[in-house]
Amino acid sequence: MNELFLKIINMSISSSWLVMAVLILRLVLKKAPKWINVLLWGIVAVRLICPFSFESALSLIPSAETFPEKVISGPSFDVQTGITPVDNRINDYLGDRYFEGVTVPANSGNNIMTILSIVWTIGILLLVAYTVISYWRLHREIDTAVRYKDNIFQSENVSSPFVLGLIKPRIYLPFNMNGQDLEHVVAHEQAHIRRKDHWWKPLGFLMLTIHWFNPFMWLSYVLLCRDIELACDEKVIRELGNKQRADYTQALVACSVNRRTIAACPLAFGEAGVKERVKSVMNYKKPAFWIVILAAIACVSVAVCFLTNPITIGDHFGAAIYEPTPIGQIDEKYDNEEFVITRLHYENLDGEWVSEGYTYKYRLEITGRMNQAAKNITFIVLSNTEDITFDQTWKASGLSSNMADYFDPAVSVIVGQKLFS
């Protein structure tokens, strides 16, 4: 459970960067078709659902793993949000409290994650319970609904028109609707069904249920519902004249409802942002072709930049990543008979080694003692040949001359050494 929750946290944080990009694009693409906004939220859903992602140099996600897996195994923290000042403050804060004179059980990180996992699970169960109870109450209210025609039903318990159902969606209307309002309302609700909005909204609510701890997800769901309604309005009024649009807005106002609760369904006619929708309907102009093209390009760009993860060295190379030893630690390394690493190098996944753009087959440890030396010395050498002598290596190390005089960097390179008695 802890591993799953940690995965969800990292997915949620990565998605938050995408949400911020969508929020900006919603402002930039005001003149674009409203279905573009819904498509952008669909990209967010892909990021939230998909447990894996490809890597790309174009990725704008700072880090796909803000909280490394080692967080759950002990008190070692390396939070990586992608914002260096924030990372430093968080890691320093946690480090101060876990390492300065405080004895911490080895599994303390695991215990913290267990508690958070339980809280996360409880939150999910509460939202699921809310959804089940809401649907049960709604179905009780429409039990007495009678068929008007086709998939359209009327009920005295319905105060505003809405669509309900996933497999066979039905349109529910109040009895007291006049002919003109009814015509516009039915057209709107049928547009919802054709656009499959009765699937997308519950899917959005499912994502919210899983990522309920992230405030960006609550904002995203609210805006998704609003954008769904705006896109549906736009689809209906596209072929209407000014007089018919005025009638449509009148129907919107007449059927508006004040819903403060957040639900997966139903899709009510006047449920979300009525003022904004009225303004959008009355000011509607068919978007120019070039605007549609630019909006589509923006969607593709967002998908490429935010559905992919940044390229990480650790995914292309093995866990052995050797960084140069800081100068201040070299004497200490020698005293402890530990290797002093002089060049950054990696173990590749196929067993080969990489340093400064060159690939080598072997990582050799060549030990010997120079003339009149008090200690032996071991050199770490990356090489494509095993036929290297100690005499050649210590001369190439720079103690006697330049390394390039003895080693072709494409063939061999010294990356570290140590002294011992």
Side-chain angles (χ1 to χ4, degrees), residues 95-138:
D96 290 343
R97 279 150 182 76
Y98 281 91
F99 294 106
E100 290 186 0
V102 180
T103 300
V104 182
N107 63 343
S108 61
N110 201 8
N111 292 337
I112 294 172
M113 291 304 296
T114 299
I115 294 172
L116 294 177
S117 298
I118 293 173
V119 173
W120 171 62
T121 303
I122 291 174
I124 291 177
L125 293 177
L126 289 175
L127 282 173
V128 170
Y130 163 77
T131 303
V132 171
I133 293 173
S134 298
Y135 263 74
W136 175 72
R137 292 178 62 183
L138 185 59

Side-chain angles (χ1 to χ4, degrees), residues 9-76:
I9 289 177
N10 284 320
M11 291 173 64
S12 193
I13 294 175
S14 296
S15 299
S16 296
W17 294 102
L18 176 53
V19 170
M20 286 189 280
V22 171
L23 293 177
I24 294 173
L25 277 179
R26 287 178 81 255
L27 298 175
V28 174
L29 300 176
K30 279 188 174 182
K31 294 185 178 181
K34 301 305 179 183
W35 58 264
I36 290 289
N37 291 343
V38 180
L39 180 59
L40 289 171
W41 293 123
I43 297 174
V44 174
V46 172
R47 182 84 213 191
L48 287 169
I49 295 173
C50 193
F52 59 88
S53 178
F54 299 103
E55 292 188 350
S56 169
L58 299 176
S59 176
L60 295 181
I61 300 290
S63 173
E65 192 179 42
T66 302
F67 291 91
E69 190 173 347
K70 65 182 179 181
V71 169
I72 67 173
S73 60
S76 176

Side-chain angles (χ1 to χ4, degrees), residues 71-104:
V71 169
I72 67 173
S73 60
S76 176
F77 292 91
D78 184 20
V79 177
Q80 302 173 14
T81 64
I83 305 176
T84 301
V86 174
D87 295 343
N88 292 340
R89 291 295 297 274
I90 293 176
N91 291 319
D92 289 346
Y93 177 85
L94 294 174
D96 290 343
R97 279 150 182 76
Y98 281 91
F99 294 106
E100 290 186 0
V102 180
T103 300
V104 182

